[in-house]
Amino acid sequence: MADAAQTLGTSTFERMKAMILDGTLEPGMPLREKSFADRLGVSRTPVREAISQLVSEGFAERAPSGTPVVSSISLADIMEILHVRSLLECEAARKAAASNAKLDELLNLRAKTVDFLDGSRPNSEAHFALDVQLHLAIARRAGSRLLAELIESLKVKTRMYDQGSIPERFEPGCHEHLAIIDAIVDGAPENAAEAMRLHLKKVRESIISHINHPF
């Protein structure tokens, strides 16, 4: 029974987290136990556990009244996140290019990226999933589980900000990913680090542009 309850709490957390990431639950929205228990068809206990985990992982926060609400990510927050990501991921790309590990995973992700460019455009969820897979594959190739965990956490926070709302980044982003992969495959550490730096710089610029020209 305990395992079942834990599984239900975990699945409830994942469902609520997904709703935050895709924008269904907007920043500042109250997270009330009864409302979400009814909405998700579960009891209040797994919802309570899910909300507690959302708060602990930064997806939600306590309002002054004590009510848990969906976290807001400011432009200053996202700029800081992207700065830290650049520090971590440029080093990860550099180490990945110097690694002797097999290239199978990266080559597979490269093929999927090319398929995205050549075929019909994927939905935002499929695109984001591939984006996460690539950045984590690079971190793992760099040989650090902690680095991979940090990068994944920061990428999720980036997702909380843009929620796939900058579609014009799709094609340029894919080409930037290919440049990173190719530098790693070629065993060129500095080129890989520079390609990653440029990619994250473009992400930063697109977010700033989107804020200044939202339509």
Short mmCIF file of all heavy atoms in Angstrom, two decimals, residues 56-89:
data_model
loop_
_atom_site.label_atom_id
_atom_site.label_comp_id
_atom_site.label_asym_id
_atom_site.label_seq_id
_atom_site.Cartn_x
_atom_site.Cartn_y
_atom_site.Cartn_z
N SER A 56 9.40 22.38 -2.99
CA SER A 56 10.80 22.06 -2.68
C SER A 56 11.68 22.14 -3.91
O SER A 56 12.88 22.44 -3.80
CB SER A 56 10.90 20.67 -2.04
OG SER A 56 10.63 19.65 -3.00
N GLU A 57 11.12 21.90 -5.11
CA GLU A 57 11.91 21.94 -6.34
C GLU A 57 11.81 23.27 -7.08
O GLU A 57 12.36 23.42 -8.17
CB GLU A 57 11.50 20.78 -7.26
CG GLU A 57 11.80 19.42 -6.66
CD GLU A 57 11.71 18.28 -7.65
OE1 GLU A 57 11.68 18.56 -8.87
OE2 GLU A 57 11.68 17.12 -7.21
N GLY A 58 11.08 24.23 -6.48
CA GLY A 58 11.05 25.57 -7.06
C GLY A 58 9.97 25.83 -8.09
O GLY A 58 9.89 26.92 -8.65
N PHE A 59 9.11 24.84 -8.33
CA PHE A 59 8.02 25.05 -9.29
C PHE A 59 6.86 25.84 -8.68
O PHE A 59 6.05 26.42 -9.38
CB PHE A 59 7.49 23.71 -9.82
CG PHE A 59 8.50 22.93 -10.60
CD1 PHE A 59 9.16 21.86 -10.04
CD2 PHE A 59 8.82 23.29 -11.90
CE1 PHE A 59 10.11 21.14 -10.74
CE2 PHE A 59 9.76 22.58 -12.63
CZ PHE A 59 10.41 21.51 -12.04
N ALA A 60 6.79 25.81 -7.35
CA ALA A 60 5.75 26.54 -6.63
C ALA A 60 6.40 27.24 -5.45
O ALA A 60 7.53 26.91 -5.05
CB ALA A 60 4.64 25.61 -6.17
N GLU A 61 5.69 28.20 -4.88
CA GLU A 61 6.20 28.94 -3.72
C GLU A 61 5.03 29.31 -2.83
O GLU A 61 3.86 29.24 -3.26
CB GLU A 61 6.94 30.20 -4.19
CG GLU A 61 6.10 31.12 -5.04
CD GLU A 61 6.92 32.18 -5.76
OE1 GLU A 61 8.15 32.08 -5.77
OE2 GLU A 61 6.30 33.10 -6.33
N ARG A 62 5.32 29.68 -1.62
CA ARG A 62 4.28 30.08 -0.68
C ARG A 62 4.03 31.58 -0.80
O ARG A 62 4.96 32.38 -0.66
CB ARG A 62 4.67 29.73 0.75
CG ARG A 62 4.88 28.24 1.00
CD ARG A 62 3.58 27.51 1.14
NE ARG A 62 3.80 26.05 1.28
CZ ARG A 62 2.82 25.18 1.40
NH1 ARG A 62 1.56 25.59 1.40
NH2 ARG A 62 3.09 23.88 1.52
N ALA A 63 2.77 31.95 -1.03
CA ALA A 63 2.40 33.36 -1.04
C ALA A 63 2.43 33.87 0.40
O ALA A 63 2.46 33.08 1.35
CB ALA A 63 1.00 33.52 -1.63
N PRO A 64 2.43 35.19 0.60
CA PRO A 64 2.41 35.74 1.97
C PRO A 64 1.27 35.17 2.82
O PRO A 64 1.41 35.03 4.04
CB PRO A 64 2.24 37.24 1.74
CG PRO A 64 2.90 37.47 0.41
CD PRO A 64 2.57 36.25 -0.40
N SER A 65 0.17 34.82 2.18
CA SER A 65 -0.97 34.26 2.90
C SER A 65 -0.72 32.81 3.32
O SER A 65 -1.48 32.25 4.11
CB SER A 65 -2.21 34.30 2.01
OG SER A 65 -2.03 33.47 0.87
N GLY A 66 0.35 32.20 2.77
CA GLY A 66 0.64 30.80 3.04
C GLY A 66 0.15 29.86 1.97
O GLY A 66 0.49 28.67 1.97
N THR A 67 -0.67 30.37 1.05
CA THR A 67 -1.20 29.54 -0.03
C THR A 67 -0.10 29.22 -1.04
O THR A 67 0.61 30.14 -1.49
CB THR A 67 -2.34 30.27 -0.76
OG1 THR A 67 -3.37 30.58 0.18
CG2 THR A 67 -2.92 29.41 -1.88
N PRO A 68 0.07 27.96 -1.42
CA PRO A 68 1.06 27.64 -2.46
C PRO A 68 0.57 28.13 -3.82
O PRO A 68 -0.61 27.95 -4.16
CB PRO A 68 1.16 26.12 -2.40
CG PRO A 68 -0.13 25.67 -1.82
CD PRO A 68 -0.58 26.74 -0.89
N VAL A 69 1.45 28.76 -4.56
CA VAL A 69 1.11 29.25 -5.90
C VAL A 69 2.21 28.85 -6.87
O VAL A 69 3.35 28.58 -6.46
CB VAL A 69 0.94 30.79 -5.92
CG1 VAL A 69 -0.18 31.22 -4.98
CG2 VAL A 69 2.24 31.49 -5.54
N VAL A 70 1.89 28.82 -8.16
CA VAL A 70 2.90 28.53 -9.19
C VAL A 70 3.95 29.63 -9.18
O VAL A 70 3.64 30.82 -9.13
CB VAL A 70 2.24 28.43 -10.58
CG1 VAL A 70 3.30 28.20 -11.65
CG2 VAL A 70 1.20 27.32 -10.61
N SER A 71 5.21 29.23 -9.19
CA SER A 71 6.31 30.20 -9.13
C SER A 71 6.36 31.08 -10.37
O SER A 71 6.00 30.65 -11.47
CB SER A 71 7.65 29.47 -8.99
OG SER A 71 7.75 28.81 -7.76
N SER A 72 6.81 32.28 -10.16
CA SER A 72 7.07 33.21 -11.26
C SER A 72 8.57 33.28 -11.49
O SER A 72 9.34 33.34 -10.53
CB SER A 72 6.52 34.60 -10.94
OG SER A 72 5.13 34.57 -10.74
N ILE A 73 8.97 33.27 -12.75
CA ILE A 73 10.39 33.40 -13.10
C ILE A 73 10.55 34.76 -13.77
O ILE A 73 9.97 35.03 -14.82
CB ILE A 73 10.84 32.30 -14.07
CG1 ILE A 73 10.61 30.92 -13.46
CG2 ILE A 73 12.30 32.47 -14.44
CD1 ILE A 73 11.49 30.59 -12.30
N SER A 74 11.32 35.65 -13.15
CA SER A 74 11.52 36.99 -13.70
C SER A 74 12.57 36.96 -14.81
O SER A 74 13.33 35.99 -14.95
CB SER A 74 11.97 37.95 -12.60
OG SER A 74 13.27 37.62 -12.17
N LEU A 75 12.64 38.03 -15.57
CA LEU A 75 13.66 38.14 -16.60
C LEU A 75 15.05 38.10 -15.97
O LEU A 75 15.96 37.47 -16.51
CB LEU A 75 13.48 39.44 -17.40
CG LEU A 75 14.48 39.68 -18.53
CD1 LEU A 75 14.45 38.54 -19.55
CD2 LEU A 75 14.21 41.02 -19.22
N ALA A 76 15.20 38.73 -14.82
CA ALA A 76 16.49 38.70 -14.12
C ALA A 76 16.86 37.27 -13.74
O ALA A 76 18.01 36.85 -13.86
CB ALA A 76 16.45 39.59 -12.88
N ASP A 77 15.85 36.51 -13.29
CA ASP A 77 16.08 35.10 -12.93
C ASP A 77 16.58 34.32 -14.14
O ASP A 77 17.55 33.56 -14.04
CB ASP A 77 14.79 34.45 -12.43
CG ASP A 77 14.35 34.97 -11.07
OD1 ASP A 77 15.22 35.47 -10.32
OD2 ASP A 77 13.15 34.91 -10.78
N ILE A 78 15.90 34.48 -15.27
CA ILE A 78 16.24 33.67 -16.44
C ILE A 78 17.61 34.08 -16.99
O ILE A 78 18.37 33.23 -17.47
CB ILE A 78 15.16 33.78 -17.54
CG1 ILE A 78 15.30 32.61 -18.52
CG2 ILE A 78 15.19 35.08 -18.29
CD1 ILE A 78 15.04 31.26 -17.94
N MET A 79 17.97 35.35 -16.90
CA MET A 79 19.29 35.78 -17.34
C MET A 79 20.38 35.15 -16.46
O MET A 79 21.42 34.72 -16.95
CB MET A 79 19.39 37.30 -17.32
CG MET A 79 18.54 38.02 -18.35
SD MET A 79 18.94 37.59 -20.07
CE MET A 79 17.56 36.51 -20.48
N GLU A 80 20.10 35.09 -15.16
CA GLU A 80 21.07 34.46 -14.25
C GLU A 80 21.18 32.97 -14.53
O GLU A 80 22.28 32.40 -14.54
CB GLU A 80 20.66 34.69 -12.80
CG GLU A 80 21.65 34.12 -11.80
CD GLU A 80 21.30 34.43 -10.36
OE1 GLU A 80 20.21 35.02 -10.13
OE2 GLU A 80 22.10 34.08 -9.48
N ILE A 81 20.03 32.32 -14.77
CA ILE A 81 20.01 30.90 -15.07
C ILE A 81 20.82 30.61 -16.33
O ILE A 81 21.64 29.69 -16.38
CB ILE A 81 18.57 30.39 -15.24
CG1 ILE A 81 17.88 30.33 -13.87
CG2 ILE A 81 18.54 29.01 -15.89
CD1 ILE A 81 16.38 30.12 -13.96
N LEU A 82 20.62 31.42 -17.37
CA LEU A 82 21.34 31.22 -18.63
C LEU A 82 22.84 31.48 -18.46
O LEU A 82 23.66 30.82 -19.11
CB LEU A 82 20.76 32.11 -19.72
CG LEU A 82 19.38 31.66 -20.25
CD1 LEU A 82 18.79 32.74 -21.15
CD2 LEU A 82 19.49 30.34 -20.99
N HIS A 83 23.19 32.41 -17.59
CA HIS A 83 24.62 32.66 -17.33
C HIS A 83 25.26 31.44 -16.68
O HIS A 83 26.35 30.99 -17.09
CB HIS A 83 24.77 33.88 -16.42
CG HIS A 83 26.17 34.13 -15.97
ND1 HIS A 83 27.18 34.50 -16.84
CD2 HIS A 83 26.75 34.02 -14.74
CE1 HIS A 83 28.32 34.63 -16.17
NE2 HIS A 83 28.09 34.34 -14.91
N VAL A 84 24.56 30.88 -15.68
CA VAL A 84 25.09 29.70 -15.00
C VAL A 84 25.13 28.51 -15.95
O VAL A 84 26.09 27.74 -15.97
CB VAL A 84 24.25 29.37 -13.75
CG1 VAL A 84 24.71 28.06 -13.12
CG2 VAL A 84 24.34 30.51 -12.74
N ARG A 85 24.07 28.38 -16.77
CA ARG A 85 24.07 27.30 -17.76
C ARG A 85 25.25 27.41 -18.70
O ARG A 85 25.88 26.41 -19.06
CB ARG A 85 22.76 27.32 -18.57
CG ARG A 85 21.58 26.66 -17.88
CD ARG A 85 20.40 26.57 -18.81
NE ARG A 85 20.72 25.79 -20.00
CZ ARG A 85 19.94 25.73 -21.09
NH1 ARG A 85 18.80 26.40 -21.14
NH2 ARG A 85 20.31 25.00 -22.13
N SER A 86 25.58 28.62 -19.11
CA SER A 86 26.70 28.80 -20.03
C SER A 86 28.00 28.35 -19.38
O SER A 86 28.82 27.66 -20.01
CB SER A 86 26.79 30.27 -20.46
OG SER A 86 27.80 30.44 -21.43
N LEU A 87 28.19 28.71 -18.12
CA LEU A 87 29.40 28.30 -17.41
C LEU A 87 29.50 26.78 -17.34
O LEU A 87 30.56 26.19 -17.59
CB LEU A 87 29.40 28.88 -15.99
CG LEU A 87 29.50 30.40 -15.87
CD1 LEU A 87 29.37 30.81 -14.41
CD2 LEU A 87 30.81 30.91 -16.45
N LEU A 88 28.39 26.13 -17.01
CA LEU A 88 28.38 24.68 -16.85
C LEU A 88 28.45 23.95 -18.19
O LEU A 88 29.21 23.00 -18.36
CB LEU A 88 27.12 24.24 -16.09
CG LEU A 88 26.97 24.69 -14.64
CD1 LEU A 88 25.62 24.27 -14.09
CD2 LEU A 88 28.09 24.13 -13.77
N GLU A 89 27.63 24.40 -19.13
CA GLU A 89 27.47 23.62 -20.36
C GLU A 89 28.60 23.83 -21.36
O GLU A 89 28.88 22.93 -22.16
CB GLU A 89 26.11 23.92 -20.99
CG GLU A 89 24.95 23.48 -20.09
CD GLU A 89 23.65 23.33 -20.86
OE1 GLU A 89 23.62 22.54 -21.82
OE2 GLU A 89 22.69 24.00 -20.48
#
